Amino acid sequence: MTARRAVLILGLTTLVGAVLTGGSRAQEPRSPGLYNTAKQKLLDGKPVVGGTIYTSDPNIYCAMAGAGFDFLWIEMQHSPLTYSEVAKMIRACPEAPAIPFIRVPDATEGDIQKAADIGALGIIVPMVSTVKKAEAAVRYAKYPPDGQRSQGGGQYRVLYEGDYRRTANENILVVVMIENLEGVEVVDQIAAVPGVVAVFAASGDLGSFSGWARDDPRYEAMIDKVKTATLAAGKTLGGPFSWHDREGFRLFQASSDAGLIRSGARVLLETMKGEYEY
């Protein structure tokens, strides 16, 4: 057996193990009352990376959840995913090390309540261009006295140990996305909202709404403004994974499930070139 083939077999064995077991969240060190390991890493000054999920297939979800990501960015703004489907995905591998984050369609009470009830420990809110919207995101994600989330049923009861009602506010991480010029204009006020943990600079939409290319100095000035305001407020700065080497950024959205499958297949087939005809 060639060394290259042995490495390939080892890699496939690891992937199969991730699919079958989803990893084990219990292996991650925890602070008392804090089981959101992605948030813990941010508090420790470390970066976190999340793979993006568009499919409702629990097997793909569990494979990504056990692959090494800190969290999974479950995409409910730009996908037909339903809360029922996402609930089944999260329930399929509750001990997977990647923490479930959901990008909700909007900062509504219904969307955020449902996302939290099915087990999301990260609430990502798109198109935040006002302080009012950032405040609404926190209000609906948190139980009293920090917010107005109502106490009802939900599968969070079987996902998270201990007194969830007592620990939920500490564990739920609210991320607000700055995507347009209106949001950039007031980003210092948005970042200062209590309960907002991270501010995400949406690289593509900032270019789309402004009309500026990424090599335009005006575009770079927008990003610098978001960065300066976020860090000045003591909050975490987020962006696309391609910005992982940019100073100040610590929360990253990585490739989608389809993109990772495609690139993984290419890597696998590349290892076989010259050995087989296919």
Side-chain angles (χ1 to χ4, degrees):
M1 179 183 296
T2 65
R4 183 168 59 184
R5 197 173 302 167
V7 170
L8 176 59
I9 291 173
L10 177 61
L12 290 173
T13 301
T14 301
L15 178 58
V16 170
V19 173
L20 294 176
T21 68
S24 175
R25 190 176 296 159
Q27 296 173 354
E28 298 286 344
R30 299 180 183 177
S31 296
L34 188 59
Y35 39 83
N36 185 339
T37 52
K39 184 175 182 180
Q40 181 65 65
K41 287 186 72 172
L42 290 175
L43 292 174
D44 292 341
K46 300 175 182 178
V48 296
V49 180
T52 307
I53 292 283
Y54 285 89
T55 180
S56 61
D57 189 327
N59 291 318
I60 293 178
Y61 176 86
C62 290
M64 289 185 66
F69 289 113
D70 300 296
F71 68 94
L72 291 187
W73 179 302
I74 304 170
E75 182 53 62
M76 296 192 72
Q77 182 195 19
H78 292 297
S79 83
L81 284 173
T82 67
Y83 287 102
S84 178
E85 290 171 331
V86 174
K88 292 174 183 176
M89 291 154 55
I90 296 173
R91 184 69 181 270
C93 44
E95 294 301 316
I99 299 298
F101 283 27
I102 294 177
R103 173 153 72 167
V104 294
D106 202 359
T108 67
E109 183 174 9
D111 282 320
I112 293 175
Q113 176 80 66
K114 289 176 183 176
D117 281 354
I118 65 175
L121 293 183
I123 304 294
I124 305 167
V125 182
M127 299 295 295
V128 177
S129 56
T130 65
V131 171
K132 183 177 180 180
K133 188 167 183 176
E135 290 174 339
V138 175
R139 180 166 63 251
Y140 299 138
K142 305 282 189 176
Y143 288 123
D146 301 328
Q148 296 178 6
R149 177 183 172 187
S150 65
Q151 186 173 1
Q155 71 176 19
Y156 60 79
R157 297 177 184 275
V158 296
L159 293 174
Y160 306 116
E161 61 190 36
D163 183 356
Y164 175 85
R165 171 63 179 83
R166 181 180 59 81
T167 60
N169 285 0
E170 180 184 3
N171 282 276
I172 290 178
L173 190 157
V174 176
V175 182
V176 297
M177 300 188 69
I178 304 298
E179 305 190 52
N180 55 32
L181 291 170
E182 291 79 7
V184 173
E185 184 65 26
V186 294
V187 65
D188 55 336
Q189 300 173 49
I190 291 171
V193 170
V196 167
V197 175
V199 177
F200 191 96
S203 58
D205 273 315
L206 282 171
S208 176
F209 280 102
S210 68
W212 300 330
R214 298 191 190 190
D215 58 355
D216 190 310
R218 293 171 296 180
Y219 178 91
E220 195 59 38
M222 282 195 303
I223 303 304
D224 284 342
K225 183 171 183 178
V226 174
K227 171 184 172 180
T228 299
T230 301
L231 298 183
K235 306 298 176 68
T236 296
L237 180 62
F241 184 71
S242 58
W243 289 0
H244 67 276
D245 56 351
R246 279 196 174 216
E247 183 181 359
F249 286 81
R250 289 198 295 122
L251 184 149
F252 303 102
Q253 179 190 16
S255 301
S256 69
D257 38 25
L260 290 170
I261 291 171
R262 183 168 54 249
S263 61
R266 287 173 178 166
V267 170
L268 184 149
L269 294 173
E270 185 67 28
T271 67
M272 298 175 64
K273 279 190 174 179
E275 297 184 23
Y276 300 97
E277 292 294 333
Y278 57 88

